[in-house]
Amino acid sequence: MYISERKKKILAAVVHEYIETAEPVGSKTIAAKGQLGCSSATIRNELAELTAMGLLEQPHTSAGRVPTPQGYRLYVNELMHHQRLSLEETEEINRQLNDRMGQLDRLISDVSALASRLTAYPALATTAHSTCTILRFDLIYVDANTFIIVAMLSNNTAKSKLVHLPVSVEQQLIVRLSTLANANFTGIPEEKITAALIAATERAAGDNLGLSSVVASFALELLTEARSSETYLCGESLLLQQPEFQDPVKAHRLMNYLADSEHLSNLPVPNSRSNVSVLIGPENVAEELRDSSVVVATYDAGDNARGLIGIVGPTRMDYSTVAAKLACLADALSRRLASGDAPPTGMHNKLIVKGDHEP
């Protein structure tokens, strides 16, 4: 779809004005700015054409125009000035982050509060997770009805499990199973520990008691736990300050959605070309987010582990400023975590919802 440069400038003017005022924008308002060198009549005609193209809409017959999700998408992709924070703003973010260096779980919690305060929107942050594998198994025979599984993981943790059996087993079976577990269940992600692989291990070990399944189940439990992450949410009541969420039913619906950790864990991860992703209105898969925009940035915690920092707000937001602040915050957090300045984290699969008070 070809769009002239003048139409693009008028669309950008509408977006900027609507972000500032939350009111439909008319041709006289744009002309009064004096930046386009066009008459009000010319701007009015261009507004009508932009509306016909689906980039603007008119809430009421006599009202001005507001951007549609397609209009915002064109603005973000082609027209938005990619803002760079001032040295003072960057130093302030770094200073606040330095002040909050404590336990990593607390740090990520505080990062969500900081992102919310910087943007005046609800913000979330997730602890980093990475693909983990088991490096080594040791199966220790205790007695005829007891053995211990010890697993060393690639994230430098070790876990053990005491197994009580209702029947007696010989030590040789435990020794064979230990060898086969190291051959079959190490160095692979959880999705490759399949029923077929477990069955093959049982046959090779001469295991008719299901002990191979016990070891495989423990491996899957550890890998799932290592992959899980905590999500911290802060500032959700800030939605009520936005004109778009003055309807309590609409606001309540979105706030309930944000309170579910499963929903937040499914937010999109930016692709490798950019560490910031923007989803506008209907681009969000969830019905509850269809009237909202989500901006997400990733941070690098080292060892191929990445976490998310994001905000949720109305489609009428200053995308350039929000993206710049999240990118700066993510970059500052990456540098601290990758350098080892932050303490280790404990991973849990739960949502922690913080209030809007200072942490």
Side-chain angles (χ1 to χ4, degrees):
M1 177 173 57
Y2 172 75
I3 302 176
S4 68
E5 288 303 313
R6 185 164 67 186
K7 282 186 173 62
K8 289 181 179 180
K9 290 179 180 179
I10 291 174
L11 175 61
V14 172
V15 171
H16 293 157
E17 186 69 20
Y18 188 56
I19 287 172
E20 290 293 324
T21 66
E23 296 290 340
V25 182
S27 58
K28 292 182 180 179
T29 300
I30 298 174
K33 299 287 185 180
Q35 298 174 346
L36 300 179
C38 302
S39 67
S40 178
T42 299
I43 294 173
R44 186 163 53 251
N45 291 335
E46 296 282 34
L47 291 175
E49 292 188 27
L50 287 167
T51 302
M53 298 168 75
L55 300 174
L56 298 176
E57 60 184 354
Q58 194 169 23
H60 308 288
T61 305
S62 59
R65 266 70 170 187
V66 300
T68 64
Q70 294 88 340
Y72 281 123
R73 173 49 61 195
L74 177 64
Y75 171 78
V76 169
N77 288 354
E78 299 184 27
L79 309 178
M80 182 177 76
H81 171 66
H82 293 280
Q83 180 174 328
R84 295 180 63 89
L85 299 184
S86 67
L87 179 61
E88 292 75 14
E89 290 173 311
T90 302
E91 288 179 344
E92 177 62 15
I93 289 175
N94 279 281
R95 185 192 65 76
Q96 292 197 43
L97 198 55
N98 284 334
D99 290 345
R100 297 168 187 275
M101 294 297 288
Q103 290 296 317
L104 184 56
D105 284 352
R106 176 59 190 267
L107 171 62
I108 303 303
S109 169
D110 288 347
V111 164
S112 69
L114 179 55
S116 179
R117 191 156 50 250
L118 288 170
T119 63
Y121 293 122
L124 61 101
T126 67
T127 52
H129 60 80
S130 61
T131 300
C132 184
T133 61
I134 295 175
L135 298 178
R136 174 186 171 89
F137 281 104
D138 285 301
L139 272 59
I140 303 170
Y141 183 84
V142 178
D143 57 42
N145 299 100
T146 312
F147 71 98
I148 300 171
I149 309 171
V150 180
M152 174 68 74
L153 282 73
S154 60
N155 62 3
N156 296 321
T157 62
K159 302 285 185 177
S160 63
K161 179 182 179 69
L162 181 65
V163 180
H164 295 287
L165 302 171
V167 295
S168 298
V169 299
E170 296 181 353
Q171 185 171 1
Q172 292 90 330
L173 175 58
I174 301 301
V175 172
R176 287 198 304 273
L177 189 55
S178 181
T179 300
L180 288 165
N182 278 291
N184 294 346
F185 300 148
T186 58
I188 59 175
E190 59 189 288
E191 61 268 17
K192 291 192 175 182
I193 302 179
T194 62
L197 181 60
I198 296 171
T201 304
E202 289 177 343
R203 290 193 297 271
D207 169 25
N208 57 6
L209 300 175
L211 302 186
S212 300
S213 294
V214 173
V215 177
S217 294
F218 182 54
L220 290 170
E221 177 185 327
L222 294 181
L223 295 178
T224 300
E225 178 183 330
R227 185 170 51 83
S228 65
S229 61
E230 287 185 356
T231 301
Y232 298 86
L233 177 67
C234 185
E236 60 275 18
S237 67
L238 291 171
L239 287 172
L240 301 176
Q241 299 178 15
Q242 301 298 325
E244 293 86 344
F245 295 100
Q246 292 301 304
D247 180 352
V249 174
K250 185 177 180 181
H252 183 69
R253 184 184 181 204
L254 179 55
M255 291 169 72
N256 279 346
Y257 179 85
L258 296 178
D260 191 319
S261 61
E262 291 299 320
H263 295 155
L264 297 180
S265 65
N266 292 326
L267 287 176
V269 178
N271 59 42
S272 58
R273 296 189 302 271
S274 171
N275 71 331
V276 178
S277 176
V278 178
L279 287 182
I280 301 169
E283 295 174 357
N284 291 287
V285 175
E287 185 64 32
E288 291 83 354
L289 294 173
R290 290 301 180 95
D291 294 323
S292 307
S293 285
V294 178
V295 183
V296 179
T298 61
Y299 67 87
D300 183 0
D303 297 324
N304 296 317
R306 299 191 70 80
L308 297 177
I309 306 170
I311 66 95
V312 179
T315 55
R316 179 195 56 83
M317 71 167 67
D318 188 342
Y319 293 100
S320 180
T321 298
V322 168
K325 289 181 177 180
L326 288 186
C328 180
L329 186 54
D331 180 66
L333 186 58
S334 294
R335 284 186 277 104
R336 282 157 180 76
L337 297 182
S339 67
D341 291 340
T345 180
M347 299 291 189
H348 307 284
N349 187 18
K350 63 181 180 179
L351 169 73
I352 297 180
V353 180
K354 295 181 65 63
D356 298 324
H357 55 277
E358 280 283 324

